[in-house]
Structure formats: C-alpha cells, structure tokens
Amino acid sequence: MRKTAFFIAVMMTLSLAACSQTEPSVDSRGAGDPERSQQEESIRGSAEEVTEVTEQANLPEHFVLIPGGTFQMGSPEDEAWRSSDETQHTMTVSDFYMSQYEVTQAEYEAVMGENPSYFTGETLPVETVTWLDAVAYCNARSEQEGRTPVYTLDGQTVTWDRSADGYRLPTEAEWEYACRAGTEGPFYMQYSPSAENTNFYGRYPYQIEENYFSQDNLEVQPGQYRETTVAVGSFEPSPFGLYDMYGNVGEWTWDAYGPYGTGEQTDPAGAENGTRRVYRGGGWNDFAKNMRSAYRAAMDQEKGSFNIGIRLVLNGAAGAGNVTGMLAGNGAQAQEPEAEGKVLIAYFSWGGNTQGIAEEIQSQTGAELFEITLEEPYSEDYNTVLEEAQRDQREQARPELASHVENMEQYETILLGYPNWWASIPMPIASFLEEYDFSGKTIVPFCSHGGGRFGQSLTAIAKLAPDAVMGEGLSVHYSGGSTLAEDVSAWLEQNHISHQ
C-alpha cells in the first residue's frame, strides 16, 4: 500500500446548519456481522487472486483484474435518497482491468506537461479536468507507453475503438460493478462511509437528513470535513482492492448521461446522444447520499471541477466494434458566445443571502430581477425549515410556485440563484426548471453555501434542463462578505455577460 499523507483542514460551518462533531464510533465495514463478513472475505480472496493474475500479465503497476459478471445496476425503489434515474436493471460486464488509484497530479503532469488542479500536491488526485481532458490524457499516456490509443476525435464526434489496448475511461456499468464488488446495498460497506475511512463531507453520513435532530439513531456518526482532496490510497481499499471509490474526487466515465434501458444488456456504452457525461463516486465535498454506488452525477464534457478526476481502465480482452459519441451538442456547448442576449436573474432565497447576491448581480448588469416564491412558503423558523427542505428533497417534491415569468422565450440567458440546501438545489428551483422550456438557453448558476460549495446542485440542474447550455457557476460563502462585488464582476466576465 502506498505511503500517504494528507493535510487536515479546519472544519467549516455547514450550509443551513451546523452538525454534531462527534467522531465516528461505528466500524462501517460491518464488523460483527458474520454473514456480511463471510461475503466480504470471499470477495477479498477473489481480489487477491486477480492481483496475482495482473502481475503475471505484466500489466501496468497498480492495475487489478475485475472479473466480469452479472449484477443489478441501479438502486431498488426503497433505497433511501435514490434518484429517479437509477432504475434497477440486469447488467453483464466482461473482464477488465482497473487502476487501484485515481490518477495523481504527478502522473497527469508527466504526460500532459501541466497540472490544472485546484489543490496541488504530487500524490493528490488530479482534478479540475474536463471529460475531454480525460480522453486526451488516456490517448497521450497510451502513446507514451506504446499502446494503441482508444479514442479518435473528429469534427463533432468522438469514437471509441473497443479493440484498442490503450488506456480508457470505465463505462458507467463497469464503474458501478467494480464499486459494488458483489454487494447490493447503497455502499459496499454495511452502513455508510465514515470520515475515518473516506474523504467526504464527513459531517453528513448516510441518512443524517432524517436523523438530524436525533443522531443517536445513526449507524455512522458525523465526523471530520477536511475541505480538500487527500493523497490517493489514504484509506483502506474496497473488497476488489480499489482505493477511494467513494469520495476524494468523482471519476469521469465514458457514458453520456441519459435514462437507463429496462432490458438486460452486456457491456453497454451509455446513451447514444448527449454531451453531458456521467461521473461517479462523489468527491471531498459531497454528502454520503451522493456517493452511493448507484448515484449518477453529470456535467458538460468540456467543463471541469475541483472535485472531479480520473480513474483508468484497460480491456481484459480486445472488444469488437466502435462506439461514437458527440463532441458538441445543441450547437452551443463548444462555443463561447459573443453576446448573451436578454438576461434574467431568477433566484430563490430563504434567509436573504441569495437575494443579496442577486441584487449585486442586478446592480452590475441592469438585468431584470425575478424572485421565485411559493404558494405555501417555507417556515420562518430555522429548525423547521431544515426539516421541510430535506423532506422535499427526499420526496423530490415540486412545491407550487406563486410567481411566474411572463414571456420566458424573450430571455436567452438565465442567471439562476439558490442556497445550497442539503448538498443540492431547493425543490422550488426544480419546480421553476420544469415549468419552462430552456432548450438552447444558457443557465448560469450562482449559490450561497456554508461550506459545501455547489454540492450536487449543478448535476441537479443539468438533469432537469438537459437541453440548456450550462455556464460557469459562482458559489458564495453565505453573503459573500467584502469581496462579493469583485467576485460577481469576475464571474460575469467569465460568462461573457455585460456590465451596465
């Protein structure tokens, strides 16, 4: 196992609430459960055997064989915090090799000659890489090591040669199969990742939302939030010998985001169309509910984030045929607009922080301001609104809006503001996004937060407005403080939005 070190950051104040800082007291790997322990020992034994096979095959260091098989991909309907796009279906994958570790910054820089990461350190995972960057890295490293590159980029298409022996991204099915390692629950461990064995927003273990005011009921207690990536391999591996499958950074897959099919499939390659690509596993700032084995996150393929990185795979045997995807969808994702057209600032605010940001944006742009309000407003009591917000998220509620935009078709760019509630958008934002047709429009998000930045709110918006172009977001800590005006100005310039 690699020698690792990581820096412990000061724990930040939570968006909407401050959680208990009790250290985890439960062994989340399921010690004491004989049936579970026997299952994991069996899987672990298989992993040791395939490691020997990997060494005999003279493959790159730290790659292990993931023996193919059939599994139930997605989540059952009774899994807590599941999303509607996780329809369970039977999936078969062939043997493949997967790196035990996420690609480090040293590995990326050695091939690409640059390091785009937000956090810096040779043994930290590379992040702030786009899906296109990840594909380019796969090809460049393949060429450097005398392997046949897997991907070809030509005009508006990218083609995956299944027969090539070069490095590639895992498919979504391969990633989930490898992560599950034969298990069927939300995580491969019995209960939930904890801050002791995973780098994530440790104050938010699985199902804390339902137990926020009675944390004694939790199997895994809230713990440390490090606020940064850590060296790859800092924690114990999964039953398949893979490190950081949950947390640290999310990991790009090949697949374009789209609905699952319902029939049985073998070695699928995802949706046929779309430029929003799936990434899996969650990052250092994610809640446990968004690290579940079945959870699907999505982002435009030409955008990167400080919590998304790369894990490589290799074919177990040469495949057959090619898979073609899109490089520029809706005609806009690959373009930088010269002018943004008519702009609307639409926002939902509860405590006033988001409203203050929206008003600063309005003062700098002169754009129209629209507040998203509810027929039945949330409580003004702090503790009560915590319960109401997480209840609506859990139920994926669509609260009725009291305010409506007249002639939405006249706006080409919507600056969309909201507080980061429970690591995602408030459900009034979901109601707003489903009310109008955003096809071809540009949505530029901004949010106020208490430590989790965007959480998974960008994924939520991308899923609800699949035909919109996503601009670069702005996350503001609470009200933004003395730098708000400067931060807003830089963000507007980044998105080519005119100042008045």
Side-chain angles (χ1 to χ4, degrees):
M1 179 176 177
R2 295 182 179 180
K3 293 182 179 179
T4 59
F6 56 84
F7 297 100
I8 306 300
V10 178
M11 296 175 72
M12 295 176 70
T13 306
L14 164 70
S15 171
L16 268 184
C19 288
S20 164
Q21 297 185 19
T22 306
E23 288 301 314
S25 59
V26 176
D27 178 0
S28 63
R29 291 186 62 81
D33 182 335
E35 181 177 351
R36 182 75 178 204
S37 297
Q38 289 175 5
Q39 180 188 39
E40 291 191 351
E41 285 300 324
S42 175
I43 294 170
R44 196 172 297 113
S46 298
E48 292 172 356
E49 291 176 8
V50 298
T51 300
E52 294 178 4
V53 173
T54 302
E55 293 172 351
Q56 294 170 6
N58 195 29
L59 288 166
E61 187 179 14
H62 304 306
F63 275 70
V64 294
L65 175 65
I66 307 299
T70 299
F71 74 112
Q72 290 298 304
M73 186 174 180
S75 61
E77 293 185 1
D78 62 351
E79 183 167 300
W81 292 98
R82 79 183 296 269
S83 298
S84 60
D85 60 356
E86 298 171 14
T87 304
Q88 208 166 37
H89 56 298
T90 302
M91 189 67 61
T92 299
V93 296
S94 302
D95 293 357
F96 62 98
Y97 295 95
M98 176 173 268
S99 174
Q100 293 179 279
Y101 303 99
E102 295 162 338
V103 173
T104 67
Q105 293 175 28
E107 289 171 328
Y108 188 88
E109 189 168 5
V111 173
M112 306 303 286
E114 60 180 4
N115 181 9
S117 302
Y118 179 85
F119 304 104
T120 55
E122 289 188 353
T123 61
L124 300 181
V126 68
E127 24 84 3
T128 319
V129 286
T130 70
W131 183 89
L132 295 174
D133 291 336
V135 164
Y137 174 75
C138 288
N139 277 357
R141 182 164 169 178
S142 296
E143 291 178 345
Q144 189 178 85
E145 298 182 16
R147 296 177 175 272
T148 303
V150 167
Y151 304 114
T152 302
L153 282 64
D154 182 16
Q156 302 300 301
T157 62
V158 56
T159 301
W160 164 22
D161 178 1
R162 284 184 179 266
S163 68
D165 68 349
Y167 295 101
R168 62 177 177 84
L169 302 177
T171 65
E172 197 178 1
E174 287 173 332
W175 191 96
E176 185 171 327
Y177 178 79
C179 180
R180 288 190 176 280
T183 63
E184 298 178 353
F187 306 97
Y188 63 71
M189 60 271 289
Q190 184 176 11
Y191 300 123
S192 166
S194 77
E196 291 185 334
N197 60 29
T198 304
N199 183 33
F200 73 113
Y201 205 142
R203 299 182 188 179
Y204 289 87
Y206 193 45
Q207 295 186 320
I208 191 172
E209 293 83 1
E210 299 93 320
N211 298 280
Y212 186 71
F213 297 107
S214 56
Q215 295 177 8
D216 289 343
N217 297 327
L218 288 171
E219 297 288 356
V220 173
Q221 290 293 308
Q224 184 179 30
Y225 177 32
R226 297 176 177 86
E227 305 177 46
T228 180
T229 56
V230 300
V232 302
S234 291
F235 305 98
E236 290 297 311
S238 76
F240 269 171
L242 306 170
Y243 296 83
D244 303 310
M245 290 300 283
Y246 303 131
N248 216 16
V249 290
E251 299 164 12
W252 285 116
T253 71
W254 158 265
D255 298 38
Y257 176 76
Y260 285 150
T262 56
E264 295 186 18
Q265 292 180 279
T266 299
D267 294 330
E272 293 183 3
N273 296 307
T275 59
R276 289 194 173 129
R277 298 284 174 170
V278 176
Y279 63 95
R280 291 296 206 108
W284 57 270
N285 65 331
D286 276 309
F287 287 19
K289 67 180 181 181
N290 294 330
M291 299 191 303
R292 293 174 299 108
S293 299
Y295 181 75
R296 311 174 71 200
M299 181 176 286
D300 289 348
Q301 62 190 14
E302 76 283 357
K303 288 184 169 57
S305 175
F306 44 61
N307 65 349
I308 306 177
I310 306 168
R311 187 185 299 267
L312 300 180
V313 300
L314 291 164
N315 287 343
N322 296 329
V323 181
T324 299
M326 300 171 62
L327 282 179
N330 305 327
Q333 272 89 337
Q335 301 175 13
E336 290 187 356
E338 297 180 2
E340 73 278 0
K342 193 168 184 180
V343 176
L344 176 69
I345 306 166
Y347 71 94
F348 171 78
S349 186
W350 179 80
N353 289 331
T354 307
Q355 180 177 353
I357 301 167
E359 290 172 348
E360 176 61 35
I361 297 169
Q362 200 275 336
S363 73
Q364 294 193 30
T365 62
E368 294 183 39
L369 201 61
F370 174 79
E371 183 177 5
I372 300 168
T373 58
L374 298 179
E375 287 281 1
E376 297 183 12
Y378 288 122
S379 172
E380 295 182 0
D381 177 72
Y382 185 70
N383 288 342
T384 303
V385 78
L386 293 180
E387 293 182 326
E388 293 174 340
Q390 66 90 5
R391 175 205 66 204
D392 279 358
Q393 279 195 348
R394 184 176 65 251
E395 297 174 357
Q396 287 296 292
R398 296 296 186 263
E400 189 71 26
L401 302 184
S403 54
H404 306 275
V405 178
E406 295 183 7
N407 301 319
M408 177 63 85
E409 62 273 10
Q410 68 182 304
Y411 300 104
E412 296 182 27
T413 300
I414 293 84
L415 310 183
L416 184 62
Y418 53 90
N420 173 352
W421 276 7
W422 299 104
S424 191
I425 57 172
M427 289 299 96
I429 294 294
S431 297
F432 176 81
L433 289 170
E434 290 185 348
E435 183 173 346
Y436 307 99
D437 181 7
F438 291 95
S439 300
K441 298 183 186 296
T442 298
I443 296 176
V444 188
F446 64 95
C447 82
S448 59
H449 69 94
R453 306 199 191 186
F454 287 112
Q456 283 293 328
S457 64
L458 300 183
T459 279
I461 295 170
K463 290 180 179 182
L464 288 166
D467 297 319
V469 180
M470 291 282 284
E472 297 293 337
L474 172 69
S475 62
V476 176
H477 192 241
Y478 289 121
S479 62
S482 60
T483 65
L484 179 63
E486 181 181 344
D487 294 340
V488 166
S489 179
W491 171 66
L492 293 172
E493 290 182 7
Q494 183 181 23
N495 285 284
H496 308 283
I497 297 171
S498 302
H499 294 66
Q500 66 174 0

